[in-house]
């Protein structure tokens, strides 16, 4: 049947309405459909843990480093203690070797030792000493001011250590220094002694003779 103008217009309205409906998004077509939410931005990558991580307070320092307190590492302290112990052992060993050497070079049955001591020292300041045994010079020693002062404070100096055969011997000592009024002073002393089996010890004693205001020199035999 032929379409009237009114029917044509109605058909055009239906077609236009359908096209408009298809052109709308799904959210507009269905009011119950929720609108799409905006995607959240991607989370930034985590910083490098090694770069941002704070080392623990009790972390040990790297090898060869000095700790915050300024103390050397434990292994270095242990090495220092070991070195000190070794030095002490070397010193003790040298002492033992020195004693052994003296025992080998100067056996007790032939050994003779001469010592020097001073008392007061008001009238004499010792500069040098010369020793002769059986007319043979065996020692010649020059004293420094510090050594002379040590003698005045009670020190004893072993000026000679040697070997003698059993029998009679003679010791002569020559002292040189400053006497009364700070003048050059030289004196001598001698002693005949018997060397028996065993070590022999002799002492050169310098004392003040108060009555004469003069120094006195003597040789004492330690029996």
């Amino acid at each position: 049947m032929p379409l009237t103008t009114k029917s044509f217009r109605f058909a055009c309205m239906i077609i236009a309405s359908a096209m408009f409906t298809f052109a709308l998004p799904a959210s507009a077509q269905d009011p119950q459909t929720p609108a799409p939410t905006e995607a959240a931005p991607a989370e930034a990558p985590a910083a490098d843990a090694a770069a941002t991580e704070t080392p623990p307070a009790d972390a040990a320092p790297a090898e060869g480093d000095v700790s915050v307190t300024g103390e050397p590492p434990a292994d270095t302290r242990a090495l220092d203690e070991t070195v000190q112990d070794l030095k002490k052992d070397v010193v003790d060993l040298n002492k033992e070797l020195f004693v052994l050497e003296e025992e080998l070079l100067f056996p007790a049955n032939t050994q003779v030792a001469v010592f020097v001591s001073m008392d007061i020292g008001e009238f004499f300041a010792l500069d040098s000493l010369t020793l002769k045994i059986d007319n043979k010079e065996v020692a010649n020693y020059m004293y420094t001011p510090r050594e002379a002062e040590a003698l005045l404070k009670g020190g004893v100096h072993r000026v000679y250590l040697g070997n003698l055969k059993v029998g009679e011997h003679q010791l002569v000592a020559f002292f040189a220094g400053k006497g009364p009024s700070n003048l050059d002073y030289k004196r001598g002393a001698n002693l005949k002694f018997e060397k028996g089996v065993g070590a022999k010890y002799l002492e050169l004693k310098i004392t003040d003779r108060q009555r004469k205001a003069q120094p006195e020199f003597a040789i004492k035999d330690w029996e």
Side-chain angles (χ1 to χ4, degrees):
M1 89 180 253
L3 294 175
T4 62
T5 303
K6 186 177 181 180
S7 299
F8 180 76
R9 290 179 178 178
F10 182 76
C12 289
M13 292 176 62
I14 292 175
I15 293 172
S17 178
M19 293 176 65
F20 181 77
T21 300
F22 287 121
L24 292 175
S27 59
Q29 297 177 21
D30 189 358
Q32 295 182 356
T33 303
T37 59
E38 185 178 355
E43 186 179 356
D48 188 3
T52 59
E53 182 179 358
T54 302
D58 56 350
E63 183 177 358
D65 292 345
V66 178
S67 62
V68 178
T69 58
E71 296 181 357
D75 55 350
T76 304
R77 292 197 300 270
L79 180 60
D80 291 341
E81 293 176 358
T82 302
V83 171
Q84 294 301 324
D85 292 340
L86 289 175
K87 287 182 178 180
K88 183 178 182 301
D89 292 341
V90 170
V91 172
D92 294 339
L93 180 60
N94 286 337
K95 290 180 180 179
E96 294 177 2
L97 290 176
F98 179 75
V99 173
L100 180 60
E101 182 182 11
E102 284 195 346
E103 291 177 353
L104 292 175
L105 295 177
F106 311 105
N109 57 339
T110 61
Q111 184 182 120
V112 58
V114 180
F115 299 88
V116 180
S117 66
M118 291 187 68
D119 183 21
I120 303 178
E122 182 179 350
F123 304 120
F124 183 73
L126 182 62
D127 287 337
S128 65
L129 173 65
T130 301
L131 291 182
K132 287 186 177 182
I133 296 180
D134 299 334
N135 293 322
K136 180 182 179 181
E137 184 174 310
V138 294
N140 192 337
Y141 195 87
M142 299 288 294
Y143 288 88
T144 65
R146 179 176 295 182
E147 290 172 333
E149 183 179 358
L151 290 175
L152 290 174
K153 292 181 177 179
V156 176
H157 174 220
R158 189 182 70 182
V159 68
Y160 174 72
L161 177 66
N163 296 309
L164 285 179
K165 296 179 180 180
V166 175
E168 187 177 275
H169 301 274
Q170 184 178 27
L171 171 66
V172 179
F174 298 96
F175 304 88
K178 297 294 183 180
S181 302
N182 201 31
L183 298 176
D184 291 339
Y185 198 91
K186 293 183 179 180
R187 285 292 185 274
N190 66 85
L191 174 70
K192 287 185 178 181
F193 62 93
E194 185 75 21
K195 174 68 174 69
V197 178
K200 189 70 171 179
Y201 302 104
L202 303 171
E203 180 184 4
L204 307 179
K205 298 188 64 176
I206 305 173
T207 58
D208 286 342
R209 185 179 298 180
Q210 296 292 340
R211 291 183 179 179
K212 295 184 178 181
Q214 293 287 332
E216 185 177 40
F217 306 90
I219 302 176
K220 180 180 179 181
D221 187 353
W222 291 359
E223 299 292 346

